[in-house]
Amino acid sequence: MQEQLKLDNQLCFRLYTAARLITQAYHPLLSGIGLTYPQYLVMMVLWEQDAQPVNDIAKKLYLETNTVTPLLKRMEAEGFISRSKGKADARQVIVKLTPKGRKLESQASCIPFQLGQAVACRSITPETAPGLYEMLDDLIHTLSSAGR
Amino acid sequence: MQEQLKLDNQLCFRLYTAARLITQAYHPLLSGIGLTYPQYLVMMVLWEQDAQPVNDIAKKLYLETNTVTPLLKRMEAEGFISRSKGKADARQVIVKLTPKGRKLESQASCIPFQLGQAVACRSITPETAPGLYEMLDDLIHTLSSAGR
DNA sequence: TATCTTTGTATCGCGAACGATATAAATAAA
DNA sequence: TTTATTTATATCGTTCGCGATACAAAGATA
């Protein structure tokens, strides 16, 4: 059996698994405020800057519009955001927070801390985390620029 | 705006994005042999050890059977595996490689190398990778044991 | 033996992801 | 000003991923 074809030797499987498990850890916290994890990501983008076209949101999340559009529609149906035609460019759809969506920020403010507890482990520390972030950022940059 | 609620400060978003992008990098390589990435993971489990019950495969991939069962059915329909009732325990479904599935291993053997090229970046090197693996393994272990 | 509990797998429903494709508005070229 | 091209979103179909739930076989208990 090829050593390289073992699960234990693969970076992607680790990332795939870690991403799924940490998203699962978010679930009980997010369901309390009525959001899924991808929806929470969109909210963070909008809390940081309100009133953005779909494309800007998609780019910040490294997602395609065919993923983001249905996501936004569900969030609109839930009353967290509004979607309206752009005035300068009629092709654009501008996404804005509703009062309900804006109010959610304070309710979500404790989530990063709560999650920090769940994720706390021996090898990820204030000393090692920056190195981990750098590696992941580098990987993301390499893969996202290679894709075009 | 809360600093903790920024996308840039979050481990989960990095993992989520990195996992998606690296899975996308696999796509052109895997579609050539007719597999999706999760199906490729199942094949690796079976190449390492043939004839396993559904539950063993699910555990090794940190997935639930309600994800794995439909996955296996699609793979059975494609002719890569067979599913048969266990003899010792009639509840179990034993998953085996078909000749077609076994033959795929040699065709897949170049994939890890090809992907290594795509993933190659400054900060992930033979020196830093073991540390990265350790952090991810630790995180996976922490999250998977906390979940029960 | 009859009943209760656990275990292994499967079904259902919904929300992502994403490749492929479509559509309309904006821009460029002829 | 037509015509062609690019850009911003959206639609469609398929495959995950997973919470909730169902069901039958196996094991434990009464």
Side-chain angles (χ1 to χ4, degrees):
Chain A
M1 144 115 229
Q2 320 249 7
E3 200 61 23
Q4 305 287 347
L5 276 179
K6 283 189 181 172
L7 223 49
D8 293 343
N9 299 328
Q10 306 226 349
L11 173 61
C12 185
F13 175 60
R14 284 178 169 81
L15 293 172
Y16 161 83
T17 304
R20 281 191 310 100
L21 293 179
I22 197 166
T23 302
Q24 283 177 36
Y26 269 99
H27 189 264
L29 306 175
L30 289 173
S31 68
I33 58 175
L35 292 173
T36 65
Y37 183 70
Q39 291 173 4
Y40 173 62
L41 293 179
V42 171
M43 292 306 283
M44 283 196 286
V45 169
L46 291 172
W47 288 329
E48 194 155 348
Q49 186 189 327
D50 199 0
Q52 297 188 54
V54 173
N55 215 9
D56 287 22
I57 297 172
K59 280 213 168 66
K60 287 174 184 172
L61 299 181
Y62 299 87
L63 289 168
E64 301 298 318
T65 61
N66 56 1
T67 298
V68 174
T69 293
L71 192 56
L72 292 173
K73 285 188 170 181
R74 284 186 287 268
M75 294 175 72
E76 186 182 32
E78 295 290 332
F80 295 122
I81 61 160
S82 68
R83 302 185 315 134
S84 53
K85 274 250 170 85
K87 282 159 195 163
D89 188 333
R91 291 170 303 180
Q92 290 185 332
V93 168
I94 308 297
V95 181
K96 293 183 187 136
L97 291 167
T98 60
K100 180 180 174 185
R102 214 172 293 112
K103 224 175 87 179
L104 221 56
E105 183 178 3
S106 58
Q107 296 179 51
S109 62
C110 55
I111 291 181
F113 297 99
Q114 293 182 264
L115 209 95
Q117 312 277 317
V119 170
C121 55
R122 271 170 282 101
S123 31
I124 301 180
T125 65
E127 288 77 41
T128 62
L132 174 59
Y133 282 24
E134 190 193 336
M135 285 189 269
L136 293 175
D137 286 342
D138 192 2
L139 183 62
I140 290 167
H141 176 261
T142 301
L143 291 168
S144 64
S145 54
R148 274 167 293 110
Chain B
M1 144 112 230
Q2 321 248 6
E3 200 61 24
Q4 305 288 345
L5 277 178
K6 282 189 180 170
L7 224 50
D8 292 343
N9 299 327
Q10 305 226 352
L11 173 60
C12 184
F13 175 61
R14 285 177 167 82
L15 292 172
Y16 162 83
T17 304
R20 280 192 311 102
L21 294 179
I22 197 167
T23 302
Q24 283 176 37
Y26 270 99
H27 188 264
L29 306 177
L30 289 173
S31 68
I33 57 174
L35 292 174
T36 65
Y37 183 71
Q39 290 172 5
Y40 173 62
L41 293 180
V42 171
M43 293 305 283
M44 283 197 287
V45 169
L46 290 172
W47 288 330
E48 195 155 345
Q49 185 188 327
D50 198 1
Q52 297 188 54
V54 174
N55 215 7
D56 288 21
I57 297 172
K59 280 211 168 67
K60 286 174 184 173
L61 300 181
Y62 298 87
L63 289 167
E64 301 298 318
T65 60
N66 56 1
T67 298
V68 174
T69 294
L71 191 58
L72 292 173
K73 283 189 170 181
R74 284 184 288 268
M75 295 175 72
E76 185 182 33
E78 294 291 331
F80 296 122
I81 60 163
S82 67
R83 302 185 317 133
S84 52
K85 274 251 170 86
K87 282 160 195 162
D89 188 333
R91 290 171 303 179
Q92 289 185 334
V93 168
I94 307 298
V95 181
K96 293 183 187 135
L97 290 167
T98 60
K100 181 181 175 186
R102 212 172 294 113
K103 223 174 89 179
L104 220 57
E105 183 176 4
S106 58
Q107 296 179 51
S109 62
C110 54
I111 291 181
F113 297 99
Q114 292 181 266
L115 209 95
Q117 312 277 317
V119 170
C121 56
R122 271 171 281 102
S123 31
I124 302 180
T125 65
E127 288 78 40
T128 62
L132 175 59
Y133 282 23
E134 190 193 336
M135 284 189 270
L136 293 176
D137 286 342
D138 193 2
L139 184 61
I140 290 166
H141 177 261
T142 301
L143 290 168
S144 63
S145 54
R148 276 168 290 109

